[in-house]
């Protein structure tokens, strides 16, 4: 069984992921795995050079600054980049998931954009009030309120054509403890599959 842990920037999905990892569950971190795949996969690098721009890869290494300049000024190239990376992550996640225990997790900020929603059994949607999310990201990343709002707006601009049928909210508002929520959801999932 594969459970997605998702939520907007500053919601606390990484905190939830760390808790389930400390409980002994395996967690696939999409951000770090995508970076690793991009750095090590020669097919991805070749596709970036062919489909995005020849100067995206220099001496076998992705020039992330140049890549960002190119894709963020050209929506078509950004779409191509996402297609390349999302496809590689889905393939990698399939291989990873086959090697895991009965219940494992995937942490992703872009569940629907990456089409990972089609691969998971449940979605844990980590939620927090907007002002709390903003303050968390401002403190963590040393960025302005306006920069955080721009990132939130960019994330919220994608509206999925369909939502996963089994979405479970995990409230991370600083008031409700996370561990009892996580334990209750895990117990419910185990009971429903016994």
């Amino acid at each position: 069984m594969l459970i997605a842990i998702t939520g907007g920037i500053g919601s606390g999905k990484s905190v939830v992921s760390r808790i389930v990892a400390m409980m002994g569950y395996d967690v696939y971190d999409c951000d770090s795995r995508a970076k690793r795949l991009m750095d090590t996969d020669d097919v991805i690098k070749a596709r970036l050079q062919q489909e995005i721009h020849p100067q995206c890869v220099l001496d076998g290494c992705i020039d992330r600054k140049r890549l960002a300049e190119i894709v963020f000024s050209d929506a078509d190239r950004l779409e191509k980049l996402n297609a390349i990376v999302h496809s590689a992550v889905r393939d990698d996640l399939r291989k990873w998931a086959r090697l895991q225990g009965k219940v494992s997790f995937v942490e992703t900020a872009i569940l629907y954009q990456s089409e990972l929603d089609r691969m998971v059994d449940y979605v844990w949607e980590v939620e927090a009030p907007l002002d709390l999310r903003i303050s968390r990201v401002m403190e963590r990343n040393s960025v302005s309120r306006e920069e955080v709002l721009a990132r939130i707006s960019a994330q919220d601009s994608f509206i999925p054509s369909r939502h996963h049928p089994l979405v479970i909210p995990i409230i991370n508002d600083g008031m409700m403890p996370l561990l009892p929520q996580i334990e209750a959801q895990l117990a419910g999932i185990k009971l429903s599959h016994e």
Side-chain angles (χ1 to χ4, degrees), residues 46-135:
R47 287 188 68 191
L48 292 176
Q49 285 183 301
Q50 293 165 2
E51 298 176 40
I52 308 294
H53 197 280
Q55 294 179 348
C56 290
V57 180
L58 301 172
D59 298 324
C61 296
I62 295 173
D63 183 341
R64 282 188 159 65
K65 184 178 180 202
R66 180 74 177 125
L67 180 61
E69 289 169 355
I70 293 166
V71 299
F72 290 119
S73 64
D74 184 329
D76 289 336
R77 288 183 177 167
L78 178 59
E79 192 173 318
K80 286 179 185 176
L81 171 66
N82 286 336
I84 293 166
V85 175
H86 293 166
S87 174
V89 168
R90 286 191 305 269
D91 289 345
D92 188 56
L93 177 59
R94 272 187 208 95
K95 293 173 192 167
W96 177 88
R98 278 189 227 118
L99 303 173
Q100 305 315 309
K102 289 185 179 183
V103 178
S104 56
F105 293 84
V106 54
E107 178 187 337
T108 179
I110 53 172
L111 177 70
Y112 295 100
Q113 298 95 314
S114 62
E115 298 180 0
L116 293 177
D117 62 302
R118 299 170 187 193
M119 297 175 64
V120 299
D121 300 291
Y122 292 90
V123 173
W124 287 8
E125 181 81 35
V126 183
E127 300 173 357
L130 180 61
D131 283 339
L132 182 56
R133 291 173 56 199
I134 292 168
S135 65

